Amino acid sequence: MKTLNQSKTLRVDLGERSYDIVIGKNLINRAGKYLRPHLSEPRVLTITDENVAAHWLEPYKASLVAENICGSEMVLPPGEKTKSFGQLKRVIEWVLQTGVDRKTVLVALGGGVIGDLVGFAAAIALRGIPLIQIPTTLLAQVDSSVGGKTAIDTPQGKNLVGAFYQPRLVLADLTTLDTLPLRQILAGYAEVIKYGLINNPDFFEWCETNGSDLINGDLGLRAHAVEKSCFIKAQVVARDEREAGLRALLNLGHTFGHAFEVEVGFGKKLLHGEAVAMGTIAAFEFSQRLGLCSGQDVVRIREHFRAVGLPIDISSVVTKKWTTDKLIHHMGKDKKVEANVLTFILARGIGSAFVSKNVKIQDLRIHLDNLLK
Ligand code: NAD
Ligand code: GLY
């Protein structure tokens, strides 16, 4: 196992909203030091979930004390269902009751659920208070903590209520991944592979070689995956912060994946990253059906997913209640729909994803009928 002595800092270049992503080990123990320069008063409000609190809240709080920073913490239930109006209300009321002003910093300590929810709360409390992301899942370190997308889910679909709101700092402590269950590591790894499949075929090849060791805990490989993913995402976000075009590529597998998640119902049965994995395979197979992508590439991707233990087929979650019409309905609710035309991220091969705005519903119907057979 490689050792990793130094942290690495990447910059998300967004003019006056630029910020650093610091990646390294044991950063939580020094969080207070990293937060300090971003505080106008020695006080932060931190929101986390029960699982993260059990492992990481004490060392985090100790790091604040060491810097004479006064902290208040709120601990929420874990899981996708926490990304709701109900929990948003709780967070906002707690924030307001503590007597914040526009300079008070809100810290999201947790995975993508906490990051998305707390990020949205920061965006709307007092019309915007400073936000710092301390991501503690692989998924959040490689994707959700970077780029400023914040949101909650509604019964109508995922992430339909939210805001673009950039953090002031992202502190990605690789050590926190030591307590993350394997299933969650795998779910995050689905988003790592995504960067290779979109436009970095060399990185996909790197994943094929190193994916299993990374998943099994190699810190050096995890560091490389988080750095590379954040580097790619930071470049995309710098060029297209509000998803006018290029950024949509980061949604590879998500239109299918979100439809699967809505159909299953948000919860433990199907994790977001697992839905993305199944959705990615579905997107490549759909591209193959449309004559865009070779069968060899699809086989190669399926083989890598299978080798590391990622779910490939929806058969493990699908029930008799699933129908093509329902899935199309969920896709229609997805925010990537513009003027009743279904937008899909399709691929001409590994590393050659593109945005297609003219996907015929009939082609999609045939593909989904086949998936549900
Ligand atoms: P999550 O936040 O639910 O975390 C997964 C589980 O791991 C939870 O049970 C959590 O309590 C636990 N956990 C977190 N850190 C831990 C740690 N270090 N040790 C032990 N347990 C820990 O899920 P996630 O996969 O991190 O995020 C999924 C969410 O991210 C979805 O809602 C998805 O929509 C969102 N997302 C957002 C973006 C974006 O750009 N904003 C991008 C991708 C995904
Ligand atoms: N995860 C997709 C995006 O940030 O745009």
Side-chain angles (χ1 to χ4, degrees), residues 1-8 22-27 30 34 174-175 219-220 223 227:
M1 194 179 276
K2 286 179 208 154
T3 52
L4 183 83
N5 294 318
Q6 281 179 340
S7 59
K8 175 138 189 175
V22 184
I23 301 161
K25 63 174 188 177
N26 296 322
L27 300 182
R30 289 172 279 149
Y34 285 100
L174 300 160
T175 314
L219 193 58
E227 286 166 20

Side-chain angles (χ1 to χ4, degrees), residues 49 51-52 56 109-115 134-145 171-174 176-181 184-185 187-189 226:
D49 75 24
N51 295 335
V52 180
W56 300 105
L109 173 66
V113 163
I114 290 295
I134 306 187
T136 62
T137 62
L138 182 59
L139 183 141
Q141 294 186 356
V142 300
D143 193 352
S144 62
S145 64
L171 201 58
D173 183 351
L174 300 160
T176 60
L177 304 181
D178 291 349
T179 56
L180 193 64
Q184 298 289 351
I185 293 278
Y189 182 69
V226 175

Side-chain angles (χ1 to χ4, degrees), residues 143-144 146-147 149 191 194 233 237 243 247 250-251 254:
D143 193 352
S144 62
V146 175
K149 277 191 184 176
E191 302 275 18
K194 178 183 82 177
K233 182 152 185 186
V237 169
E243 203 170 297
R247 186 167 178 168
L250 298 178
N251 298 325
H254 286 58

Side-chain angles (χ1 to χ4, degrees), residues 21-300:
I21 308 167
V22 184
I23 301 161
K25 63 174 188 177
N26 296 322
L27 300 182
I28 288 267
N29 300 334
R30 289 172 279 149
K33 257 199 176 65
Y34 285 100
L35 263 54
R36 242 296 166 207
H38 300 275
L39 309 182
S40 60
E41 52 177 6
R43 187 169 80 109
V44 287
L45 304 182
T46 302
I47 298 169
T48 188
D49 75 24
E50 287 158 12
N51 295 335
V52 180
H55 296 289
W56 300 105
L57 194 54
E58 284 315 313
Y60 167 76
K61 278 164 64 177
S63 82
L64 299 184
V65 171
E67 289 294 313
N68 295 316
I69 299 168
C70 172
S72 307
E73 294 81 30
M74 180 183 207
V75 181
L76 299 177
E80 186 69 32
K81 288 197 167 111
T82 292
K83 264 177 67 171
S84 64
F85 269 119
Q87 296 296 341
L88 178 70
K89 180 171 179 281
R90 277 187 69 197
V91 169
I92 292 289
E93 284 175 359
W94 178 74
V95 165
L96 296 180
Q97 274 159 16
T98 59
V100 285
D101 62 40
R102 282 222 179 105
K103 289 181 178 160
T104 309
V105 170
L106 200 55
V107 176
L109 173 66
V113 163
I114 290 295
D116 280 13
L117 172 76
V118 176
F120 187 38
I124 60 176
L126 304 184
R127 298 197 182 92
I129 59 175
L131 166 72
I132 289 180
Q133 294 270 8
I134 306 187
T136 62
T137 62
L138 182 59
L139 183 141
Q141 294 186 356
V142 300
D143 193 352
S144 62
S145 64
V146 175
K149 277 191 184 176
T150 72
I152 56 169
D153 304 329
T154 63
Q156 290 76 25
K158 259 187 83 66
N159 300 330
L160 293 180
V161 180
F164 285 97
Y165 194 69
Q166 301 295 342
R168 303 287 171 100
L169 172 73
V170 178
L171 201 58
D173 183 351
L174 300 160
T175 314
T176 60
L177 304 181
D178 291 349
T179 56
L180 193 64
L182 176 64
R183 186 177 172 204
Q184 298 289 351
I185 293 278
L186 271 171
Y189 182 69
E191 302 275 18
V192 173
I193 303 176
K194 178 183 82 177
Y195 294 107
L197 293 176
I198 289 168
N199 56 9
N200 290 273
D202 294 350
F203 186 51
F204 181 72
E205 217 174 299
W206 182 90
C207 288
E208 289 179 306
T209 307
N210 298 296
S212 292
D213 290 338
L214 180 168
I215 288 161
N216 289 325
D218 187 307
L219 193 58
L221 296 177
R222 285 184 176 180
H224 179 76
V226 175
E227 286 166 20
K228 181 83 180 173
S229 302
C230 287
F231 178 77
I232 296 169
K233 182 152 185 186
Q235 282 188 324
V236 171
V237 169
R239 285 173 60 194
D240 181 20
E241 183 184 9
R242 289 181 160 256
E243 203 170 297
L246 178 73
R247 186 167 178 168
L249 293 180
L250 298 178
N251 298 325
L252 176 67
H254 286 58
T255 303
F256 282 106
H258 284 179
F260 302 157
E261 270 186 284
V262 177
E263 194 53 32
V264 172
F266 304 117
K268 280 191 193 143
K269 199 167 172 207
L270 182 65
L271 303 178
H272 174 71
E274 293 169 343
V276 167
M278 294 169 178
T280 301
I281 299 287
F284 269 86
E285 287 178 344
F286 189 36
S287 301
Q288 182 190 4
R289 179 179 295 281
L290 297 176
L292 296 163
C293 171
S294 81
Q296 272 170 326
D297 276 356
V298 175
V299 169
R300 197 174 145 197

